[in-house]
């Protein structure tokens, strides 16, 4: 959890709910940078 949070902090993502899975991480990144 800490490693994922540290890796996503440059994207401005400060919180993710547990349990983590690939889809929830991907959604967090997509939400941080919505399509133009």
């Amino acid at each position: 959890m800490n490693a994922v949070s540290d890796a996503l902090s440059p994207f401005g993502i400060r919180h993710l709910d547990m349990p983590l899975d690939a889809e929830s991480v991907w959604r967090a990144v997509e939400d941080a940078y919505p399509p133009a």
Side-chain angles (χ1 to χ4, degrees):
M1 187 67 186
N2 287 336
V4 173
S5 294
D6 288 345
L8 296 178
S9 65
F11 295 101
I13 299 166
R14 302 285 180 224
H15 176 78
L16 290 170
D17 292 326
M18 288 180 62
L20 287 178
D21 60 6
E23 185 176 343
S24 63
V25 173
W26 185 252
R27 274 196 196 154
V29 172
E30 283 186 326
D31 291 346
Y33 290 97

